[in-house]
Amino acid sequence: MADNNHTLSNGAPVDDNQNSITAGLHGPTLLQDFHLIDKLAHFDRERIPERVVHAKGAGAYGYFEVTHDITKYTKAKLFNQIGKRTPLIARFSTVAGEKGSADTERDPRGFAIKFYTEEGNWDMVGNNTPVFFIRDAIKFPDFIHSQKRHPQTNLRSADMIWDFFGLSPEAAHQFLILFSDRGIPDGYRHMNGYSSHTFKFVNAEGKVYWTKLHFKTESGIKNLPPEEADKIKGYDLDYATRDLFEHIASGKEAAWRLFVQIMPFEEAFTYRFNPFDVTKVWPQGDYPLIPVGRMVLNKNPTNYFAEIEQVAFSPAHLVPGIEPSPDKMLQGRLFSYTDTHRHRLGTSNYQQIPVNCPYRSRVQNYQRDGFFARENGGSEVNYEPNSYNGPQAHPPSSLSRFEVSGPVARHPHNHPNDDFEQPRALYRKVMNEEERARLVKNIVGHMSGCTREDIKIRAVRVFFRVDPELGSRIAQGLKLDVNKITTSRQ
């Protein structure tokens, strides 16, 4: 039987973990007490910067199993055989709240998966909604600032949230989803996940398709009424975290079915909606869902910090056969997520942390040193080209080629389809009257916290452009003069 000795960080045994070394019974503590100093110094550094977004989350391990053949669309090896299983870890989260916030806030939910494939790690970093608030990454810091705390009061501000919305009508689609019944999922098991962004699939012959990914929960969609969500906040801030952990700990599985939408490459440039605008969906009547496989979560982490807090997802973590699209929001995330990990985890070697390690493929490159370097390339040379048989580039893994043209400039969004057709269809055709009534109630309840009438007027004007009836109902609920909304200028 192995010793059960309490040890110092250098592995030496601890003689006493209850009393510091002092000069006499009442004398001062000695600096030579390495155990005390080491223990306090480590404690002082236990907290790393929390994620700016998606700070509060939960996760688990599992696998992805291929159930349908999609090799005609992509050469990615994790899809190359029916029945093939790929290990993975998933993390779900709220977006705007801090690490100690409630799991039952009205907020989108992050839906991130790291697939440990034989070609390297592929991260699918999405949300539980098929669209997002903005279409260009340059607006992302401003949007998130509007959802966080006021610089002076350090309080959440309805004025900030609705001020940004009223001046950013592209957010109408996501705001309708956010304030609908699906704005507060009943835990993480009862929600769908989406890539939201458009990606490329490339097959073995080099043919390119555009794709969106949909993960449909096998547990069924369940949402919390606002009154129940608020009640749960009073006794369990970790409601969704607890549900996922205890469900898996009891021997049960949480599972989702993966479907993809496929768009032929050429159709993207004539389609009625901009397929690279993340504020838009591709109607399934145009591009139906194609079944791919099943994601199963069946194992809890052993240590939350090591495995969930330190897990680092990035949409830039791709494998051959899956590539980014020109989606402006995606293009910014390709940089921002990996940059966040270098800062938050304190090292450019964050992918050497065990939970992030692409352990099913062999990492061979010329990157060396830095904080927390582990194997560090061994005795191999650290430059290329070289004559020491070092790792070489693999041309078959090159990205697919496509042509671009036009002047280099800050191009504003320019597409014949406006920002209101899809949210209008959501309101008129997808929601029933009971759902529309709850949507209006939720918006009115939140916007009532605004202190400035001009902010309310601009925001309600956006809803008028979605649907005049929707705008009128919200205005009535807020006791606003409809004439001011329909005649005043922004």
Side-chain angles (χ1 to χ4, degrees):
M1 182 177 178
D3 291 336
N4 192 31
N5 289 337
H6 184 174
T7 70
L8 300 167
S9 59
N10 67 331
V14 170
D15 64 314
D16 185 341
N17 192 42
Q18 305 300 315
N19 302 288
S20 302
I21 298 175
T22 60
L25 179 63
H26 303 296
T29 302
L30 300 188
L31 187 61
Q32 75 175 49
D33 189 348
F34 174 71
H35 179 41
L36 170 66
I37 301 302
D38 190 49
K39 190 174 182 180
L40 292 179
H42 188 282
F43 177 76
D44 294 343
R45 293 162 175 80
E46 282 183 358
R47 295 295 171 264
I48 63 174
E50 70 175 36
R51 294 167 171 89
V52 178
V53 288
H54 302 279
K56 175 75 179 294
Y61 293 97
Y63 63 87
F64 175 78
E65 181 173 357
V66 178
T67 58
H68 293 75
D69 183 8
I70 61 165
T71 55
K72 65 182 291 186
Y73 303 119
T74 177
K75 62 184 178 183
K77 289 185 179 179
L78 79 156
F79 299 124
N80 67 5
Q81 183 179 347
I82 292 177
K84 184 173 186 175
R85 289 188 175 186
T86 298
L88 59 82
I89 186 170
R91 183 179 185 269
F92 312 113
S93 56
T94 52
V95 175
E98 297 89 355
K99 202 168 183 296
S101 59
D103 284 351
T104 56
E105 295 284 359
R106 183 175 297 280
D107 199 14
R109 300 312 193 253
F111 195 104
I113 311 162
K114 185 181 294 292
F115 297 83
Y116 300 103
T117 89
E118 64 264 49
E119 297 180 287
N121 291 348
W122 169 44
D123 293 353
M124 200 301 296
V125 194
N127 285 322
N128 73 323
T129 58
V131 297
F132 195 60
F133 298 90
I134 53 176
R135 62 171 68 93
D136 193 318
I138 202 168
K139 298 179 70 172
F140 187 71
D142 302 291
F143 164 67
I144 292 299
H145 287 166
S146 75
Q147 308 297 300
K148 292 283 191 176
R149 296 180 180 273
H150 190 282
Q152 180 183 26
T153 65
N154 198 40
L155 300 172
R156 293 286 180 84
S157 168
D159 283 340
M160 291 167 58
I161 292 170
W162 291 106
D163 188 33
F164 184 92
F165 170 77
L167 297 168
S168 306
E170 69 201 71
H173 198 174
Q174 178 75 314
F175 264 75
L176 253 63
I177 296 173
L178 178 62
F179 283 91
S180 73
D181 292 345
R182 293 203 181 193
I184 313 177
D186 187 352
Y188 296 129
R189 295 185 295 113
H190 296 288
M191 66 183 192
N192 292 338
Y194 304 88
S195 65
S196 303
H197 298 296
T198 297
F199 286 85
K200 282 182 186 176
F201 272 171
V202 184
N203 69 15
E205 287 73 44
K207 188 171 182 179
V208 177
Y209 300 86
W210 306 107
T211 186
K212 285 181 179 285
L213 285 71
H214 301 242
F215 290 81
K216 300 288 189 178
T217 176
E218 292 186 0
S219 301
I221 295 292
K222 286 177 63 178
N223 304 297
L224 291 171
E227 299 78 13
E228 184 177 353
D230 287 340
K231 181 179 178 181
I232 292 171
K233 289 179 198 175
Y235 64 83
D236 191 357
L237 294 175
D238 305 314
Y239 175 80
T241 303
R242 190 183 315 281
D243 172 77
L244 180 66
F245 188 92
E246 293 182 350
H247 179 82
I248 294 174
S250 70
K252 299 175 184 176
E253 298 177 340
W256 288 258
R257 294 277 178 177
L258 171 61
F259 299 82
V260 295
Q261 289 179 286
I262 297 292
M263 177 187 291
F265 182 83
E266 297 77 11
E267 291 184 17
F269 309 101
T270 57
Y271 186 48
R272 58 195 176 111
F273 300 111
N274 179 355
F276 312 124
D277 179 353
V278 74
T279 70
K280 306 289 190 295
V281 298
W282 303 353
Q284 293 176 24
D286 296 343
Y287 299 99
L289 297 182
I290 298 171
V292 180
R294 185 168 183 257
M295 179 179 84
V296 175
L297 300 181
N298 58 9
K299 179 186 174 185
N300 280 320
T302 301
N303 184 277
Y304 180 89
F305 181 87
E307 299 162 73
I308 305 302
E309 188 63 20
Q310 290 194 125
V311 68
F313 300 96
S314 171
H317 296 161
L318 300 169
V319 293
I322 307 173
E323 300 178 5
S325 76
D327 178 336
K328 286 186 175 182
M329 191 65 205
L330 172 61
Q331 290 286 315
R333 292 177 77 212
L334 295 176
F335 162 75
S336 185
Y337 274 61
T338 49
D339 188 54
T340 294
H341 303 322
R342 295 181 188 107
H343 158 70
R344 194 178 71 87
L345 299 174
T347 176
S348 58
N349 292 316
Y350 67 89
Q351 294 199 81
Q352 295 187 33
I353 296 172
V355 71
N356 299 318
C357 179
Y359 66 89
R360 298 188 66 225
S361 65
R362 184 180 178 188
V363 176
Q364 301 181 104
N365 56 42
Y366 298 97
Q367 297 176 3
R368 297 290 188 272
D369 307 341
F371 288 112
F372 312 129
R374 291 164 63 90
E375 295 182 2
N376 205 37
S379 62
E380 301 299 321
V381 297
N382 58 355
Y383 61 90
E384 200 267 343
N386 65 71
S387 59
Y388 290 88
N389 197 32
Q392 300 178 13
H394 185 249
S397 300
S398 63
L399 295 177
S400 61
R401 296 186 178 188
F402 68 103
E403 294 185 0
V404 295
S405 61
V408 174
R410 296 190 185 277
H411 296 280
H413 180 70
N414 182 19
H415 193 275
N417 184 271
D418 64 23
D419 290 318
F420 307 107
E421 179 177 341
Q422 290 196 359
R424 185 178 301 124
L426 175 63
Y427 179 74
R428 292 180 179 177
K429 299 179 180 180
V430 178
M431 296 181 182
N432 59 36
E433 177 50 34
E434 290 77 16
E435 291 168 332
R436 288 191 286 267
R438 290 193 292 269
L439 170 72
V440 171
K441 180 182 178 182
N442 294 335
I443 293 173
V444 169
H446 194 280
M447 204 185 301
S448 294
C450 286
T451 62
R452 284 174 46 183
E453 185 177 87
D454 63 311
I455 289 177
K456 295 179 185 178
I457 288 173
R458 274 196 303 273
V460 175
R461 186 181 294 117
V462 174
F463 290 120
F464 260 95
R465 296 174 73 182
V466 172
D467 185 279
E469 184 213 47
L470 171 62
S472 296
R473 293 172 73 170
I474 295 172
Q476 182 179 4
L478 292 169
K479 297 181 172 54
L480 293 175
D481 184 346
V482 174
N483 291 324
K484 287 185 179 181
I485 297 169
T486 57
T487 61
S488 61
R489 299 178 180 177
Q490 292 189 24

